[in-house]
């Protein structure tokens, strides 16, 4: 009986240590779109560690994860440090929730054709 209790405690403590990271930059417009979604998921009980890239330690961690999983992304960047599963760029809540649940999220399609013309000034 003591073994079952220890196993449950081990699973609970492992679950409490989140490996989900959200890298952001304060002045990033796309991060401002994603941050309320991340905050909402955190409020619902999802463990996501928010990491501001203005801090050197967070920059080092981002670089380490980029090298470990051979992934490149600016901000916002959500990554599971345990599996390398990521969401690069701004996405809606449903997509981010799928990522939280462990689903692999493909990169968004690249635009085709020429970029839009700048307005005449």
């Amino acid at each position: 009986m003591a073994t079952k209790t220890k196993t449950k405690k081990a699973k609970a403590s492992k679950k409490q240590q989140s490996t989900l990271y959200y890298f952001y930059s304060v002045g990033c417009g796309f991060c401002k779109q994603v941050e309320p979604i991340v905050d909402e998921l955190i409020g619902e009980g999802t463990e996501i560690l928010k990491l501001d890239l203005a801090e050197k330690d967070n920059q080092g961690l981002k670089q380490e994860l980029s090298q470990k999983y051979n992934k490149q992304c600016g901000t916002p960047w959500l990554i599971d440090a345990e599996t390398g599963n990521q969401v690069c760029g701004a996405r809606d809540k449903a997509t981010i929730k799928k990522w939280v649940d462990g689903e692999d999220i493909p990169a968004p399609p690249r635009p085709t054709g020429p970029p839009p013309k700048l307005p005449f000034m």
Side-chain angles (χ1 to χ4, degrees), residues 28-102:
C28 169
F30 293 113
C31 297
K32 289 177 183 172
Q33 293 174 359
V34 172
E35 188 153 1
I37 296 169
V38 171
D39 289 340
E40 191 175 330
L41 290 169
I42 291 170
E44 293 171 0
T46 303
E47 298 256 346
I48 300 174
L49 185 59
K50 295 169 61 172
L51 302 165
D52 183 356
L53 287 178
E55 296 181 26
K56 280 242 184 239
D57 290 343
N58 296 343
Q59 292 172 12
L61 178 60
K62 183 179 185 289
Q63 185 175 6
E64 182 182 315
L65 291 170
S66 292
Q67 290 173 350
K68 180 178 179 181
Y69 293 110
N70 195 25
K71 308 242 179 179
Q72 285 289 67
C73 186
T75 56
W77 189 37
L78 295 118
I79 185 164
D80 184 336
E82 194 172 284
T83 65
N85 193 7
Q86 72 169 355
V87 175
C88 184
R91 300 295 185 88
D92 61 4
K93 183 179 179 183
T95 302
I96 294 173
K97 181 71 172 124
K98 287 178 185 177
W99 168 76
V100 165
D101 293 337

Side-chain angles (χ1 to χ4, degrees), residues 17-38:
Q17 295 174 349
S18 178
T19 60
L20 304 179
Y21 298 144
Y22 165 57
F23 291 96
Y24 67 95
S25 299
V26 174
C28 169
F30 293 113
C31 297
K32 289 177 183 172
Q33 293 174 359
V34 172
E35 188 153 1
I37 296 169
V38 171

